[in-house]
Amino acid sequence: MNQTIEEKNKELVLKAFDTLFNKRDYAAAERYWSPDYIQHSAHIEPGREGLLKLIKSIPPTLKYEPGTIVADKDFVIVHGRFSGFGQPVNWIAADIVRIKNGLLAEHWDVIEDEVTREASKSGKPMFGISFPGEKGKEK
């Protein structure tokens, strides 16, 4: 069965993120990110090299967990969690990626600190079904 362009792009983004953030395979990651990659960020240096340089500087305990993923033609949005990167709290991110010629060509992100049960005004976790440190517990 043929995949739609949206299904292919979602799969590409998930593989790229896992390769870079979880496996830390920099050579393989270069095959997913365009040499002309554009990063729209206040904290990441320009281009593919800026992104790779940042990830190389982060502790090897970095973990990325994807959640909901949606796509529309060449755009993919992933709701995910970054943990183990040396900060006191995890980050919840909405990563918006534009795909061009089968490569990640452009990226925007919206990041916020993950809240604890005590700090959550809604009483609901920001990612998944449990709060940080409460794996497997019900809401």
Side-chain angles (χ1 to χ4, degrees), residues 2 17 29-30 35 41 72 79 89 91 98 100 108 110 119 122:
N2 291 334
F17 279 32
E30 285 186 2
S41 174
D72 183 24
H79 178 244
V89 296
W91 281 353
R98 184 176 62 84
K100 182 177 179 183
W108 301 259
V110 179
S122 70

Side-chain angles (χ1 to χ4, degrees), residues 3-117:
Q3 285 185 307
T4 66
I5 190 67
E6 289 85 1
E7 290 168 329
K8 288 178 186 176
N9 286 341
K10 288 192 293 186
E11 185 177 308
L12 173 71
V13 169
L14 291 175
K15 284 182 181 177
F17 279 32
D18 187 52
T19 299
L20 180 59
F21 302 129
N22 296 328
K23 295 178 180 169
R24 305 297 278 269
D25 187 339
Y26 303 110
E30 285 186 2
R31 294 191 294 267
Y32 290 105
W33 272 267
S34 170
D36 302 319
Y37 173 71
I38 300 167
Q39 172 69 50
H40 299 278
S41 174
H43 60 275
I44 302 174
E45 292 180 27
R48 179 174 70 184
E49 290 310 313
L51 175 63
L52 295 176
K53 180 179 173 185
L54 172 71
I55 301 307
K56 288 175 183 178
S57 76
I58 293 175
T61 52
L62 171 70
K63 182 179 178 186
Y64 177 74
E65 301 169 72
T68 301
I69 183 168
V70 296
D72 183 24
K73 299 180 183 74
D74 292 337
F75 284 88
V76 176
I77 302 173
V78 186
H79 178 244
R81 175 193 282 146
F82 288 93
S83 61
F85 56 93
Q87 296 296 315
V89 296
N90 299 331
W91 281 353
I92 302 302
D95 290 285
I96 304 156
V97 181
R98 184 176 62 84
I99 309 299
K100 182 177 179 183
N101 299 324
L103 298 172
L104 281 69
E106 200 166 3
H107 177 242
W108 301 259
D109 52 31
V110 179
I111 298 174
E112 64 180 316
D113 291 347
E114 184 172 19
V115 298
T116 62
R117 178 179 297 281

Side-chain angles (χ1 to χ4, degrees), residues 114-139:
E114 184 172 19
V115 298
T116 62
R117 178 179 297 281
E118 297 75 29
S120 174
K121 299 291 182 196
S122 70
K124 304 289 183 195
M126 296 173 74
F127 186 85
I129 62 167
S130 60
F131 286 91
E134 297 183 346
K135 293 226 182 253
K137 292 186 179 180
E138 292 299 315
K139 297 186 222 180

